[in-house]
Amino acid sequence: MKISVIGMGYVGLTTAVCLADIGNEVVGVDSNIEKIKQINNGVIPFFEPQLGEILNRNINNNLNFIDDIEKAIKDSDIMFITVGTPISETGEVDTSQIYEVVQSIGKYINGYKVIVTKSTVPIGMNNKIINILKNEIKVQHNFDVVSNPEFLREGSAVVDMFNMDRVVIGSNCKKAIEIVQEIYKPFDTKFLITGFETAEMIKYASNAFLATKISFINEIANLCEKVNADVLSVAMGMGMDRRIGTEFLKAGVGYGGSCFHKDINALVNISKMVNADLEIAATAERVNNNQRKKIVQKIEKILENDVRDKTATILGITFKANTDDIRCAPSIDIIKMLKEMKMRIKVYDPIVNKEQLKELGDIVFCKNVYESLEGTDVAIVLTEWDEFKNIDWEKAKKIMNQKIIIDGRNIYSLNEIKEIIKLGYKYNGVGRNIV
Ligand code: UDX
């Protein structure tokens, strides 16, 4: 079986590279020729642990990258669609890239093909794809469509690919289901076979549920601060109940990244169109936006409202550790709010470059932690990069203007916090009530 993967974002490239690594013949396609050149030189166009290594051990053997979609379609039996489906301001999913790929498939199809939709698409999209190909383009060749949503997390996409909890296969065609199952068999995972709409819904419902879990623990954290409880222990105690589970119960600055925000809003939008309002999902998103404001309120409170012209150091810009992605990152909103309060901003992130932050205007971009802490009034941890766990606060206190730490990710244990406080710092985490 020859596979093509169309769209070389983190999902597409990870899928292409890992499918090649388990022995398939794979071609990755993207219309961006610069990106293709870069990948062909063995370079990943974004930061994703382990991916470069696996790319380089497979490239040019059974793994190739081209910008010629016609060739990719003609030469493959199975096509994975992994193009982006961003969201508009009004919450609608922009499926134009999917439509473009489907038009190309309609134009170049030259025999039986299995079309696998991996991108997150609105409910009903896979049926629409069949309709377009059969009734609009009137393709003469046989084909089947399979909905196969992706669940990869940025920063651990390779680990997730080789340790999948499940593969969801939505299709009404036994032959296509068997073909896709055969591809995933070496990953030794569980399969769930459903119809199109159910598969599409599983993706949205999973992301909405995970986001809701985070917003729930963030609200509990805010309450913990008022009643003198510790949210880390609360989450641990809750998570020990197998019905709840320990994952996605880390309180902090709220979730970021392109997926949760995009998918929750798309789902809420879909629910409105069919008069089945999703109040919990909509509230999860509202709580998440408020969580960023809570951090800003903490900064104001700890600085006793004397914020004008004071310097804030932002430690960590990416929406989580081990990625270079800053889309919907809490840090971006928080910096904007602090700037509105006329604070001076210094930033340090181990991966992010100055160019990525140009829309923020006047901020001081620093090359290391200590440069960023020099002369600052408050250090604010917004990404849980390992590097921040090893900051020498003894050394830092000699260069900081005021000894204040806001830990938006709860990166320190209670014992470490005690040591930090002994050094004379004011420390404030999320849901920990220690000042
Ligand atoms: C998510 C889904 O997890 C993945 O299945 C889907 O395919 C794509 O969207 P991703 O956005 O890459 O993946 O990252 P994820 O690890 O889910 O984290 C999302 C955000 O939630 C991050 O900002 C993270 O810091 C935050 N988060 C996560 C918390 O605040 N607390 C937690 O306990 C877990």
Side-chain angles (χ1 to χ4, degrees):
M1 285 282 167
K2 290 183 178 169
I3 298 173
S4 62
V5 181
I6 306 167
M8 289 292 99
Y10 91 93
V11 171
L13 187 52
T14 307
T15 305
V17 165
C18 296
L19 288 180
D21 201 49
I22 56 164
N24 294 291
E25 195 174 322
V26 182
V27 61
V29 198
D30 201 289
S31 54
N32 182 338
I33 187 153
E34 288 309 316
K35 197 188 251 187
I36 291 298
K37 271 189 201 156
Q38 202 181 346
I39 302 171
N40 273 324
N41 285 332
V43 179
I44 303 288
F46 44 83
F47 182 83
E48 188 58 52
Q50 297 180 47
L51 196 55
E53 208 182 299
I54 311 178
L55 167 75
N56 281 293
R57 74 167 174 247
N58 289 285
I59 199 161
N60 298 332
N61 298 326
N62 52 339
L63 177 62
N64 288 285
F65 298 92
I66 56 174
D67 66 335
D68 183 351
I69 193 160
E70 177 178 351
K71 183 170 167 44
I73 292 168
K74 287 186 171 160
D75 288 353
S76 57
D77 309 299
I78 303 157
M79 293 168 283
F80 284 83
I81 305 178
T82 54
V83 292
T85 50
I87 198 164
S88 71
E89 291 277 304
T90 49
E92 278 133 40
V93 185
D94 173 3
T95 49
S96 55
Q97 294 183 55
I98 300 270
Y99 278 105
E100 243 175 74
V101 173
V102 173
Q103 290 297 334
S104 298
I105 294 173
K107 199 163 160 194
Y108 302 124
I109 189 167
N110 59 345
Y112 176 73
K113 310 272 174 189
V114 179
I115 303 161
V116 185
T117 315
K118 246 188 150 16
S119 309
T120 304
V121 291
I123 294 143
M125 187 77 213
N126 281 286
N127 256 326
K128 257 191 211 158
I129 294 175
I130 296 181
N131 235 323
I132 295 170
L133 291 171
K134 275 201 177 139
N135 303 327
E136 281 181 31
I137 308 180
K138 302 194 186 335
V139 299
Q140 298 303 310
H141 297 280
N142 279 340
F143 67 88
D144 283 303
V145 172
V146 171
S147 168
N148 170 226
E150 61 84 16
F151 300 100
L152 305 177
R153 289 166 301 172
E154 288 183 40
S156 53
V158 172
V159 175
D160 288 354
M161 188 83 188
F162 283 99
N163 299 280
M164 286 183 262
D165 287 330
R166 78 302 207 189
V167 170
V168 175
I169 302 178
S171 180
N172 49 14
C173 169
K174 197 166 170 271
K175 179 177 164 189
I177 292 169
E178 281 170 6
I179 289 173
V180 175
Q181 266 182 313
E182 199 55 40
I183 291 174
Y184 281 108
K185 236 183 215 158
F187 292 110
D188 191 20
T189 181
K190 286 184 223 132
F191 291 99
L192 179 68
I193 315 296
T194 72
F196 284 142
E197 291 82 0
T198 304
E200 291 160 345
M201 180 63 99
I202 287 170
K203 170 64 197 250
Y204 278 118
S206 300
N207 271 0
F209 186 77
L210 291 170
T212 304
K213 224 175 156 186
I214 298 168
S215 279
F216 180 84
I217 199 67
N218 280 334
E219 279 203 315
I220 294 292
N222 300 340
L223 178 59
C224 282
E225 288 176 12
K226 303 237 154 120
V227 298
N228 205 21
D230 184 77
V231 75
L232 261 78
S233 301
V234 171
M236 196 187 291
M238 288 167 65
M240 286 163 107
D241 184 329
R242 272 174 296 166
R243 293 170 303 173
I244 298 174
T246 51
E247 305 261 339
F248 279 70
L249 283 182
K250 279 195 215 91
V253 280
Y255 56 79
S258 62
C259 292
F260 283 175
H261 171 72
K262 167 172 88 83
D263 293 349
I264 274 213
N265 281 292
L267 189 62
V268 168
N269 210 37
I270 291 165
S271 76
K272 279 190 185 138
M273 287 193 293
V274 293
N275 285 328
D277 272 7
L278 287 180
E279 290 185 33
I280 294 175
T283 306
E285 182 69 357
R286 216 169 39 245
V287 169
N288 192 56
N289 290 333
N290 279 337
Q291 198 65 10
R292 289 145 155 79
K293 293 184 194 141
K294 292 249 184 294
I295 290 285
V296 173
Q297 286 159 7
K298 277 185 182 173
I299 297 165
E300 277 183 301
K301 192 172 169 210
I302 213 161
L303 285 170
E304 295 168 352
N305 287 322
D306 182 14
V307 292
R308 201 185 171 93
D309 294 329
K310 292 284 180 292
T311 303
T313 292
I314 306 297
L315 296 171
I317 300 288
T318 54
F319 80 96
K320 63 177 193 176
N322 297 322
T323 174
D324 58 357
D325 198 343
I326 64 167
R327 284 175 297 171
C328 300
S331 63
I332 304 294
D333 289 336
I334 291 170
I335 291 173
K336 286 181 182 162
M337 285 186 261
L338 297 178
K339 283 189 79 175
E340 257 169 46
M341 287 156 41
K342 307 287 178 221
M343 290 193 81
R344 295 172 206 269
I345 309 293
K346 294 180 90 175
V347 304
Y348 170 68
D349 186 286
I351 290 283
V352 170
N353 61 54
K354 206 172 177 176
E355 187 60 21
Q356 285 175 272
L357 302 180
K358 63 174 191 267
E359 67 139 328
L360 291 172
D362 185 21
I363 57 170
V364 180
F365 185 84
C366 301
K367 289 188 203 69
N368 62 59
V369 169
Y370 300 101
E371 186 188 325
S372 75
L373 292 175
E374 185 137 25
T376 200
D377 292 288
V378 52
I380 308 154
V381 179
L382 294 183
T383 313
E384 70 285 20
W385 286 106
D386 276 346
E387 187 180 339
F388 301 150
K389 292 175 191 150
N390 302 318
I391 293 177
D392 180 347
W393 290 108
E394 172 85 59
K395 177 175 165 185
K397 80 178 196 189
K398 297 178 190 125
I399 51 173
M400 288 171 75
N401 193 37
Q402 296 192 61
K403 296 191 286 294
I404 301 175
I405 302 166
I406 302 280
D407 181 0
R409 294 285 187 170
N410 289 337
I411 62 171
Y412 296 114
S413 67
L414 283 177
N415 279 339
E416 287 164 332
I417 296 167
K418 273 185 204 148
E419 292 303 315
I420 288 172
I421 291 173
K422 263 196 218 155
L423 292 172
Y425 283 93
K426 281 186 186 171
Y427 173 95
N428 198 312
V430 178
R432 313 207 78 178
N433 204 35
I434 323 151
V435 184

